[in-house]
Amino acid sequence: MKDLPKVFAKPIDKEMRNNEEIFYSKVLNQSKEKKDILREIDKIFGNKNFVYKSQVEITLPNETIIETIVGKSGTFLLTIEGKKISIPDIIDIKKL
């Protein structure tokens, strides 16, 4: 192997500020809550006792309703009565 020239590395005596230490996101809390709702919905539909319908209590910003859900289409839950419930509007969902 050839003799390579020696390189002088000066020691770093000060704090480097080329990386940000703080991260801020306005939608961080909103997306976290929605993921939990989606996880709960997936648990309801993935349950081995779920055959074709499930009775749930859904908490919306203005009210709490009890519905029988039969499916999910895009961003909506579908009820047995033919109603559509918007998933982004759901605050909490519990299987009864």
Side-chain angles (χ1 to χ4, degrees):
M1 193 155 130
K2 295 181 181 180
D3 288 331
L4 299 174
K6 296 188 179 193
V7 177
F8 176 73
K10 182 179 178 182
I12 301 171
D13 297 349
K14 59 182 180 179
E15 180 182 353
M16 301 298 287
R17 303 197 124 234
N18 58 354
N19 290 332
E20 290 291 325
E21 295 179 3
I22 298 173
F23 173 76
Y24 172 77
S25 174
K26 183 177 180 180
V27 294
L28 183 63
N29 291 335
Q30 294 173 354
S31 63
K32 184 177 178 183
E33 291 174 10
K34 298 304 177 197
K35 288 181 184 176
D36 292 339
I37 295 298
L38 291 174
R39 187 177 301 130
E40 290 298 318
I41 291 170
D42 289 340
K43 278 186 198 176
I44 292 169
F45 287 125
N47 189 348
K48 64 181 179 181
N49 294 329
F50 179 82
V51 176
Y52 119 90
K53 62 182 179 177
S54 184
Q55 191 170 21
V56 294
E57 178 181 305
I58 300 172
T59 304
L60 299 170
N62 299 337
E63 61 183 336
T64 300
I65 56 175
I66 296 176
E67 291 287 341
T68 303
I69 57 172
V70 294
K72 180 174 118 176
S73 175
T75 59
F76 293 99
L77 286 178
L78 307 174
T79 68
I80 199 162
E81 293 87 19
K83 293 188 218 173
K84 288 182 176 181
I85 301 170
S86 177
I87 293 174
D89 293 341
I90 297 175
I91 296 171
D92 191 23
I93 185 168
K94 296 177 189 170
K95 186 176 183 332
L96 298 178

